[in-house]
């Protein structure tokens, strides 16, 4: 830690510098150097300093990240140079035609293009004066957008102060705000539970999150900004689009690593094909390739038409669609009792993946799309792994097909369903479907991670009355488990050991495991850091909760309601009686160890510690714990009675360690 001075201004400057640095490591480079906890500590110290000495606040202070006071309305944002749109090219012929036009205008061949993925997000402009972020706005109609400066300030990958030696006095950066798929699914899951309108896709979710009058709401959604250009590259002394992107990277922006200089339509086509293949594996959505003439001088020669430049074109990817038959509309009951209609489809291949089910979200969605049993439907994977039913092919509708109607009763327990806006909910807290879903969540990877406790087993446990709530899991004996279908001695004692081992966990995992509506793993982490103990959280008031940056009034209310329900407190009490032990967050900085960055998998029975402990220790030493053996696995730790994983690891040449060797490595670590 740097020496602490008494002068609040000096210390605040120092803290800002440190926080900017760590922010860049985390949000732009994806490579943090300190723990989240240490980061929070720096942030808290700065917040307190600024609160005590408001005069030392600066415009680029990272404390702006948490979002300020809500606005009444957005002010207009005038773009000094208009934000243009782009012509589309739908196929190879249209790319050829674009290339020919460019050659004709420039009266030369041998053009170099800078090709970049086309983000499916929301265009924004950021203005920097004296190296500091001062204003930012949406694209709007290209000349006037909305001033969303406060909201943009909460986006971690947007530098509040530019980095590097030669920072320009004035800079207008253009780019795209996107929401990663993972965050989109988390957000929609949360909204489903709350009965709120779902976002149709990550782009709408990004736009909805940025155009919020309350910056705290934006701060609670993980948005990412990618820079793809500047308003005046020549003024920056840049000769090419490619180098401009590199410069933006040096100034502290996140730029797309998947950009490529292409020297022919052939090369452009190859790039586009490669990207299409990798499209599903990218964490964000793209819908094409942007092809830009690389040379800035050539760009200027080509100039612009009315609304789009002559030097760029967007090659759009074809959507991945297929048609199939909707066999029926099933109903799924989730852990909060929400009943979701699900499309049961005649299995069909869409973009290389076989699809047989797709969520239909809620009854309004089904009615809006007018989906009926027996319909031929269009199924689409919009670059996403999660399939979507686009709509019916009306002409192929069988005669007499009836519109969908939601039943009045829960399909599992028969209780009357309650309706809150678009959401139907089974309010019977002992509904077997709800109990099963809650236990499944409790045991899931990001919660208590009880290996081997899958849906089928949970189904049997609940059906036989062996488990009514999560605390009953810890009462199960090996014999109880042996009595289940398909269970042998080894598997039942493994599962028994895994359940017992899960009693020791972190506060953050436990809070997540409770399944409080709206509280996902991120909020659970924030709560664990703030309260450091379960009792403090259980007694926290709504004000105390909303004082935490990413926790808004609705989530606070949901947390209060959860802990005010006597049955929830009773379950927690019983868990404590069964020996629940919660460990606090680790203060340890990230160290380099013999296991740092390696993937590790465990098989067989360990004798000196529970499997979960071994995993936790490997993780603490910087390893990534995985469940299956593959070519990329670095280490397999084989305990007693290992299974087929050991054979597979041998055949792939994966490094294999005994339990003792693993312990030795841990000691060295
Ligand atoms: S450059 C005139 N680069 O596409 C060219 N735009 O039709 C200025 N977009 O809404 C834009 N990815 O936000 C450029 N790598 C990329 C892009 C990109 C997505 C969006 C842009 C705008 C639309 C233009």
């Amino acid at each position: 830690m740097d020496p602490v001075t008494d002068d609040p201004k000096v210390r605040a400057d120092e803290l800002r510098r440190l926080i900017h640095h760590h922010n860049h490591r985390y949000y732009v480079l994806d490579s943090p150097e300190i723990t989240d906890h240490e980061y929070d500590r720096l942030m808290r110290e700065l917040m307190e300093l600024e609160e005590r000495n408001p005069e030392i606040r600066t415009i680029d202070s990272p404390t702006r990240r948490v979002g300020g006071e809500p606005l009444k309305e957005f002010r207009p944002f005038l773009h000094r140079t208009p934000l243009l749109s782009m012509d589309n090219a739908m196929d190879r012929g249209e790319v050829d035609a674009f290339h020919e036009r460019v050659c004709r205008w420039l009266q030369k061949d041998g053009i170099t293009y800078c090709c970049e993925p086309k983000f499916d997000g929301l265009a924004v402009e950021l203005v920097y004066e004296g190296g500091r972020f001062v204003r930012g706005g949406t694209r709007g109609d290209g000349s006037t957008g909305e001033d969303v400066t406060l909201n943009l300030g909460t986006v971690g990958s947007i530098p509040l102060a530019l980095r590097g030696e030669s920072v320009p006095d004035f800079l207008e950066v253009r780019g795209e705000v996107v929401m990663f798929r993972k965050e989109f699914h988390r957000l929609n899951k949360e909204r489903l539970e709350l009965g709120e309108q779902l976002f149709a896709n990550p782009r709408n979710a990004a736009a909805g999150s940025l155009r919020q009058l309350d910056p705290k709401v934006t701060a609670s959604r993980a948005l990412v900004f990618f820079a793809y250009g500047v308003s005046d590259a020549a003024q920056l002394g840049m000769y090419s689009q490619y180098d401009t992107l590199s410069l933006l990277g040096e100034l502290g922006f996140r730029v797309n690593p998947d950009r490529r200089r292409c020297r022919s339509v052939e090369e452009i086509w190859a790039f586009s094909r490669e990207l299409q293949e990798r499209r599903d594996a990218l964490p964000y959505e793209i819908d094409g390739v942007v092809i830009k003439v690389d040379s800035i001088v050539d760009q200027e020669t080509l100039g612009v038409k009315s609304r789009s430049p002559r030097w760029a074109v967007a090659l759009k990817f074809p959507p991945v669609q297929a048609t199939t038959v909707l066999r029926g509309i099933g109903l799924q009951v989730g852990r909060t009792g929400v009943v979701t209609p699900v499309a049961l489809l005649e299995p069909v291949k869409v973009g290389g993946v076989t699809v047989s089910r797709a969520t239909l979200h809620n009854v309004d969605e089904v009615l809006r799309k007018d989906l009926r049993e027996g319909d031929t439907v269009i199924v689409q994977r919009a670059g996403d792994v999660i399939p979507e039913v686009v709509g019916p092919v009306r002409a192929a509708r069988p005669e007499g097909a009836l519109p969908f109607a939601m039943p009045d009763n829960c399909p599992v327990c028969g209780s009357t369903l309650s309706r809150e806006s678009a959401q139907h909910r089974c309010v019977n807290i002992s509904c077997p479907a709800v109990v099963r879903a809650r236990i499944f969540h409790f045991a899931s990877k990001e919660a208590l991670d009880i290996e081997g406790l899958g849906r089928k087993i949970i189904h049997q446990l609940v059906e036989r009355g062996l488990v009514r709530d999560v605390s009953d899991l810890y009462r199960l004996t090996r014999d109880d488990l042996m009595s289940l279908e398909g269970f042998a001695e080894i598997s039942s004692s493994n599962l028994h050991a895994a359940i017992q081992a899960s009693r020791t966990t972190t506060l953050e995992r436990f809070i997540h495991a409770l399944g409080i509506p709206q509280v996902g793993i991120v909020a659970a982490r924030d709560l664990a850091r703030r309260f450091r103990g379960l009792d403090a959280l259980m007694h926290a008031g709504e004000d105390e909760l909303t004082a935490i940056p990413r926790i808004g009034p609705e989530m606070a209310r949901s947390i209060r309601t959860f802990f005010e329900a006597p049955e929830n407190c009773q379950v927690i009490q019983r868990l404590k009686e069964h020996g629940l032990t919660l460990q606090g967050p680790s203060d340890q900085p990230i160290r380099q160890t013999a296991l740092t960055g390696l993937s590790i998998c465990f098989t067989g029975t360990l004798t000196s510690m529970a499997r979960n402990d071994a995993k936790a220790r490997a993780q603490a030493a910087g390893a990534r714990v995985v469940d299956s053996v593959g070519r990329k696995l670095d280490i397999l730790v084989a305990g007693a009675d290992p299974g087929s994983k050991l054979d597979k690891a041998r055949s792939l040449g994966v490094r294999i360690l005994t339990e003792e060797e693993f312990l030795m490595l841990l000691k060295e670590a």
Side-chain angles (χ1 to χ4, degrees):
M1 177 66 71
D2 299 79
V4 178
T5 88
D6 286 341
D7 183 341
K9 185 171 177 318
V10 174
R11 178 63 184 154
D13 282 344
E14 171 75 14
L15 284 166
R16 281 184 206 120
R17 202 185 49 70
L18 279 170
I19 297 170
H20 281 317
H21 169 79
H22 292 304
N23 231 21
H24 183 247
R25 300 284 323 180
Y26 186 90
Y27 289 107
V28 178
L29 304 180
D30 267 340
S31 147
E33 289 171 340
I34 57 173
T35 61
D36 291 0
H37 182 59
E38 280 175 305
Y39 178 87
D40 289 349
R41 215 161 34 198
L42 296 174
M43 193 73 165
R44 208 167 320 133
E45 187 186 343
L46 180 59
M47 275 187 189
E48 281 165 14
L49 266 183
E50 288 184 353
E51 211 141 276
R52 264 183 277 124
N53 311 280
E55 71 286 355
I56 64 168
R57 254 192 205 140
T58 61
I59 183 155
D60 63 350
S61 177
T63 51
R64 277 176 66 181
R65 298 275 189 216
V66 294
E69 291 302 305
L71 297 176
K72 294 222 165 47
E73 57 178 8
F74 293 121
R75 288 193 323 211
F77 183 97
L78 303 179
H79 299 289
R80 279 186 346 127
T81 357
L83 254 65
L84 300 169
S85 55
M86 239 184 305
D87 289 346
N88 287 336
M90 294 317 216
D91 53 35
R92 172 92 185 234
E94 295 186 6
V95 179
D96 281 329
F98 165 74
H99 174 58
E100 278 159 25
R101 270 196 310 274
V102 169
C103 293
R104 209 166 343 111
W105 271 86
L106 295 175
Q107 298 185 338
K108 64 175 182 185
D109 321 318
I111 314 282
T112 300
Y113 295 96
C114 179
C115 295
E116 304 162 26
K118 184 172 189 300
F119 297 105
D120 200 5
L122 168 81
V124 298
E125 176 170 87
L126 312 175
V127 182
Y128 287 80
E129 284 173 7
R132 314 210 155 169
F133 172 56
V134 288
R135 269 189 312 285
T138 59
R139 175 166 184 266
D141 63 7
S143 25
T144 313
E146 286 172 324
D147 186 326
V148 285
T149 307
L150 295 177
N151 295 345
L152 288 167
T154 70
V155 175
S157 46
I158 294 183
L160 296 175
L162 298 177
R163 307 166 55 79
E165 302 294 300
S166 51
V167 165
D169 275 344
F170 181 79
L171 180 69
E172 279 168 341
V173 177
R174 272 110 190 242
E176 199 96 340
V177 169
V178 298
M179 184 178 278
F180 281 13
R181 287 191 192 123
K182 207 168 160 194
E183 170 72 359
F184 165 71
H185 294 309
R186 179 200 69 77
L187 184 62
N188 257 0
K189 207 166 131 200
E190 186 179 296
R191 292 173 77 85
L192 191 66
E193 283 172 10
L194 277 175
E196 288 177 1
Q197 185 87 35
L198 299 182
F199 287 117
N201 51 47
R203 174 168 33 84
N204 289 358
S209 303
L210 193 65
R211 296 180 61 249
Q212 284 285 341
L213 291 169
D214 183 355
K216 281 213 168 69
V217 176
T218 313
S220 74
R221 316 250 170 100
L223 295 173
V224 178
F225 174 79
F226 282 98
Y228 57 58
V230 295
S231 62
D232 192 344
Q235 201 186 28
L236 283 177
M238 288 291 116
Y239 295 104
S240 71
Q241 162 69 12
Y242 194 90
D243 292 343
T244 307
L245 291 178
S246 308
L247 175 73
L248 285 169
E250 283 159 27
L251 291 172
F253 292 94
R254 195 160 172 162
V255 286
N256 204 313
D258 295 311
R259 58 181 189 274
R260 186 182 296 170
R261 274 185 164 129
C262 296
R263 292 179 172 83
S264 65
V265 176
E266 278 309 301
E267 284 183 27
I268 295 175
W269 206 250
F271 177 70
S272 162
R273 251 199 328 260
E274 273 173 44
L275 261 188
Q276 272 186 73
E277 268 165 30
R278 288 183 36 222
R279 183 177 181 185
D280 287 349
L282 294 175
Y284 46 83
E285 298 212 326
I286 59 172
D287 59 355
V289 175
V290 182
I291 308 165
K292 302 175 185 172
V293 170
D294 195 36
S295 152
I296 303 296
V297 173
D298 286 349
Q299 284 187 6
E300 285 174 350
T301 311
L302 286 160
V304 297
K305 298 183 290 186
S306 58
R307 305 216 39 180
S308 53
R310 288 199 191 83
W311 46 263
V313 75
L315 169 59
K316 298 289 270 266
F317 292 153
V320 214
Q321 289 190 337
T323 55
T324 187
V325 173
L326 180 65
R327 279 184 184 161
I329 296 178
L331 294 168
Q332 200 168 297
V333 186
R335 82 183 140 84
T336 53
V338 172
V339 181
T340 314
V342 184
L344 308 172
L345 303 161
E346 193 66 47
V348 62
K349 274 211 155 179
V350 194
V353 174
T354 303
V355 175
S356 56
R357 289 166 74 88
T359 174
L360 297 170
H361 303 298
N362 57 49
V363 62
D364 289 356
E365 282 278 302
V366 183
L367 297 179
R368 190 175 62 75
K369 291 181 175 163
D370 188 21
L371 296 170
R372 304 183 186 191
E373 214 170 291
D375 267 347
T376 297
V377 291
I378 300 171
V379 181
Q380 159 170 307
R381 289 174 58 234
D384 200 340
V385 261
I386 305 238
E388 176 199 2
V389 178
V390 183
V393 179
R394 287 269 155 74
R397 173 163 290 166
E399 225 168 287
L402 295 174
F404 174 71
M406 197 74 173
D408 295 328
N409 299 86
C410 170
V412 179
C413 72
S415 327
T416 313
L417 295 180
S418 82
R419 179 164 187 166
E420 303 147 26
S421 62
Q423 225 63 259
H424 285 77
R425 201 183 281 267
C426 173
V427 284
N428 171 15
I429 56 161
S430 331
C431 169
V434 176
V435 173
R436 287 195 301 257
R438 236 187 267 141
I439 295 168
F440 183 75
H441 171 76
F442 188 79
S444 67
K445 246 197 154 44
E446 283 182 325
L448 294 206
D449 193 15
I450 306 177
E451 201 174 317
L453 191 57
R455 284 195 197 276
K456 281 196 188 132
I457 297 165
I458 294 172
H459 203 113
Q460 292 190 57
L461 289 170
V462 174
E463 199 161 58
R464 296 201 191 177
L466 285 167
V467 173
R468 277 167 314 246
D469 65 54
V470 293
S471 73
D472 290 335
L473 290 173
Y474 299 99
R475 246 207 292 261
L476 292 172
T477 61
R478 279 189 196 83
D479 288 342
D480 287 335
L481 293 171
M482 278 274 275
S483 73
L484 301 179
E485 222 168 89
F487 256 83
E489 191 155 343
I490 293 187
S491 47
S492 65
S493 63
N494 280 350
L495 179 55
H496 185 260
I499 294 175
Q500 292 304 317
S502 73
R503 288 178 305 174
T504 300
T505 184
T506 61
L507 178 57
E508 142 188 347
R509 278 177 179 274
F510 183 72
I511 296 171
H512 178 52
L514 286 173
I516 306 170
Q518 290 196 68
V519 178
I521 186 73
V522 176
R525 191 169 301 154
D526 289 348
L527 291 167
R529 285 212 194 107
R530 164 68 183 79
F531 292 103
R532 313 212 134 223
L534 189 58
D535 292 330
L537 169 64
M538 288 176 77
H539 296 112
E542 282 182 35
D543 287 350
E544 246 177 297
L545 292 164
T546 47
I548 303 171
R550 281 184 286 204
I551 295 190
E554 281 177 21
M555 203 194 287
R557 210 164 309 126
S558 170
I559 296 168
R560 278 298 343 131
T561 311
F562 184 89
F563 290 117
E564 272 160 16
E567 58 275 17
N568 289 334
C569 298
Q570 284 154 13
V571 171
I572 293 172
Q573 184 52 37
R574 284 199 291 274
L575 286 169
K576 285 182 179 166
E577 285 161 13
H578 284 299
L580 175 75
T581 310
L582 299 177
Q583 295 160 342
S586 152
D587 276 357
Q588 292 294 309
I590 295 166
R591 296 163 296 145
Q592 284 290 328
T593 75
L595 288 168
T596 304
L598 299 185
S599 57
I600 191 164
C601 177
F602 293 86
T603 184
T605 316
L606 303 181
T607 50
S608 64
M609 64 179 107
R611 171 89 62 101
N612 267 6
D613 286 341
K615 286 182 175 178
R617 291 179 67 178
Q619 258 161 0
R624 197 161 44 81
V625 178
V626 298
D627 277 337
S628 58
V629 176
R631 217 167 282 284
K632 290 202 180 130
L633 181 69
D634 293 306
I635 296 175
L636 178 75
V637 179
D641 300 320
S644 59
K645 281 183 183 159
L646 180 60
D647 299 333
K648 189 161 176 202
R650 278 207 184 106
S651 72
L652 292 173
V654 170
R655 184 174 167 201
I656 295 160
L657 297 181
T658 62
E659 184 174 349
E660 290 72 42
E661 284 167 335
F662 169 66
L663 288 175
M664 290 294 289
L665 260 191
L666 274 184
K667 262 199 207 124
E668 282 168 30

